[in-house]
Amino acid sequence: MRGMMLSLSALLGSVALLVSGNTLLMSVLGVRLGLEGIDPTSIGWIMSCYAVGFVFGSLHSYRIIERVGHIRAFATFAGLASIAALMHPLIVDIAFWSILRLVSGISVAGMLLAIESWLSTRASNDSRATLFAGYQMCFYLSATCGQLLLGLSSPTTFEPFNLAGMLLVAALVPLALTRLPAPAIEPAGRLPLGALYRLSPLGPVTCVASGIVISAFGSMGPVYGTLTGLDLDSIARFMAAGVLAAVVFAWPLGRLSDRMDRRRMLLLMSLAGCAFCAAAATLGTTAPWLLIVFSACFMGISAALYPVAVALINDRLQQAEVVPASATLLLGFGIGSCLGPLLIAALIDLVGPGGFFWGITSVLALLSAYAAQNQHEGLDITVAAQETFATALPETAPVIAELDPRPDVYSTESPPEQP
């Protein structure tokens, strides 16, 4: 096992550099746009273009990988992502930055798809769970480091954009030096969204709502910090705490969901997330540490909504359906990610900076109401029949679902009939 992880260290090193650079760039852009006095609605549009590009890249970039190979495709995407990062400070223009964000989203999705397809083929049944957990830990810790890099230089200069660009292109180096054979790649299959909705309406709806919340926080959080007068170090800690909380909360909440009906668990989680977000809106303005604590709590819970929703659906599937279902749910999360910055930016434009937290609170409140109404909808299974929880990364390419250790333990029998 240790030898396998060492052999994959080049791929994980590329992931770390890529995620750090991409996270830093997103936060720098939010702060810079706020300092430039761009209206929040336009900022939301710019940030949503990244999500649109990411969804498009997740669906179609495999064609480039098939044509030129993993390393050449990765080099192409890394070059485009780095160029886009470096071009931002040249011209501060809404249309220009929207195009750059679209290119960034496509490029990052292509880079992740190349890496994850490589990882998925290197995992055996015995090592899949370890590799899956290692990848997630690498992803979240790198995102935390990327947020903390925000305080190193002023967003009004070229420096943070240069640093982000260097990290993105540096991600090419470890992967280019690997001696692992390149795998074949196939487009991920999908199950119809309607079929998943019939199994449990709450699952797909939660995935979309989770995409709205997480993308809104990641893209508009730095804008909120800038509009409320937080300094760069405070914004960096504010954003990093939310990412780190996603790691801390995932397993406890997931294990708790193994012990009760996951529909009830999603209701409790959405209510708790709503309460913590409302606390951040009302008490967070009184002290920076309160803002960080309450934001970390609601983000930790919100980040766990997606994997619990995936587990809710997977409990009702046959083995062969788990990976295609995960790809469909990732697409649902991506749709929510496109909507999140637009919705929250519109509220900030309408009511001021407070619209950031109150908008997210409203999304979680609506999800809570929907969860309460759908506690007994869809296919019923007993708590004893639920499979053991495994975390799931939403902000990634669909191929990573193949690393999920659950398909090997899911029953090949048909799911239970609805009474």
Side-chain angles (χ1 to χ4, degrees):
M1 183 68 66
R2 182 181 178 183
M4 183 203 69
M5 294 303 294
L6 287 175
S7 69
L8 296 176
S9 59
L11 300 181
L12 295 178
S14 290
V15 171
L17 292 167
L18 162 60
V19 174
S20 296
N22 190 49
T23 305
L24 169 62
L25 179 60
M26 186 169 292
S27 292
V28 169
L29 290 174
V31 175
R32 177 65 178 270
L33 288 166
L35 293 174
E36 292 287 344
I38 306 295
D39 64 279
T41 300
S42 297
I43 296 176
W45 168 257
I46 293 171
M47 295 303 193
S48 290
C49 285
Y50 172 83
V52 172
F54 193 94
V55 171
F56 182 86
S58 297
L59 295 174
H60 300 292
S61 59
Y62 74 91
R63 292 188 175 93
I64 296 177
I65 298 174
E66 284 181 331
R67 175 172 295 183
V68 302
H70 282 66
I71 293 180
R72 288 182 179 178
F74 191 92
T76 300
F77 291 129
L80 288 173
S82 180
I83 290 170
L86 296 172
M87 289 182 71
H88 279 93
L90 297 179
I91 304 173
V92 182
D93 178 78
I94 295 173
F96 182 63
W97 279 30
S98 297
I99 294 172
L100 293 180
R101 296 309 291 150
L102 186 69
V103 171
S104 294
I106 295 172
S107 301
V108 171
M111 294 168 74
L112 287 174
L113 184 60
I115 293 174
E116 291 168 5
S117 62
W118 222 318
L119 289 171
S120 66
T121 58
R122 303 302 298 177
S124 63
N125 289 340
D126 294 334
S127 64
R128 181 177 289 134
T130 300
L131 183 55
F132 193 58
Y135 178 80
Q136 292 182 89
M137 187 63 66
C138 176
F139 193 99
Y140 279 122
L141 292 179
S142 301
T144 303
C145 292
Q147 298 288 5
L148 294 175
L149 291 174
L150 178 63
L152 294 181
S153 56
S154 173
T156 59
T157 68
F158 280 79
E159 293 177 5
F161 296 95
N162 290 347
L163 178 57
M166 286 188 291
L167 289 170
L168 288 168
V169 78
L172 171 63
V173 177
L175 186 136
L177 294 176
T178 184
R179 293 183 293 178
L180 294 175
I185 184 170
E186 297 179 0
R190 289 179 176 78
L191 288 179
L193 186 60
L196 300 182
Y197 185 84
R198 286 190 293 273
L199 287 175
S200 180
L202 185 56
V205 171
T206 299
C207 289
V208 175
S210 175
I212 293 174
V213 171
I214 293 176
S215 67
F217 182 84
S219 59
M220 300 304 293
V223 179
Y224 169 83
T226 303
L227 295 177
T228 54
L230 294 179
D231 58 51
L232 279 180
D233 288 334
S234 297
I235 294 175
R237 289 191 293 268
F238 164 57
M239 298 300 297
V243 176
L244 193 58
V247 182
V248 175
F249 281 63
W251 279 104
L253 291 175
R255 291 308 182 193
L256 186 58
S257 76
D258 288 341
R259 293 169 172 79
M260 65 174 69
D261 189 309
R262 297 202 207 271
R263 292 172 295 193
R264 184 184 177 195
M265 185 64 188
L266 286 173
L267 171 60
L268 296 176
M269 289 170 63
S270 54
L271 285 171
C274 181
F276 280 118
C277 193
T282 54
L283 302 176
T285 55
T286 62
W289 70 269
L290 287 175
L291 174 68
I292 292 174
V293 169
F294 287 127
S295 297
C297 288
F298 102 77
M299 270 303 293
I301 294 171
S302 297
L305 286 171
Y306 176 81
V308 174
V310 171
L312 172 68
I313 293 294
N314 286 350
D315 287 337
R316 292 154 172 80
L317 295 173
Q318 299 179 46
Q319 176 182 345
E321 297 174 319
V322 171
V323 172
S326 297
T328 301
L329 295 174
L330 275 173
L331 182 59
F333 180 90
I335 293 171
S337 297
C338 297
L339 298 174
L342 291 174
L343 294 175
I344 301 306
L347 285 173
I348 294 176
D349 211 7
L350 185 65
V351 302
F356 172 73
F357 279 118
W358 288 120
I360 296 176
T361 300
S362 299
V363 173
L364 292 171
L366 289 172
L367 178 60
S368 300
Y370 187 82
Q373 292 177 351
N374 286 270
Q375 284 299 290
H376 303 289
E377 297 297 322
L379 203 59
D380 282 322
I381 65 170
T382 63
V383 173
Q386 293 180 166
E387 298 296 337
T388 302
F389 173 84
T391 57
L393 275 172
E395 300 173 351
T396 186
V399 72
I400 197 63
E402 297 176 9
L403 272 182
D404 192 326
R406 286 172 291 197
D408 290 332
V409 298
Y410 272 60
S411 171
T412 57
E413 299 177 357
S414 298
E417 296 294 331
Q418 186 174 7

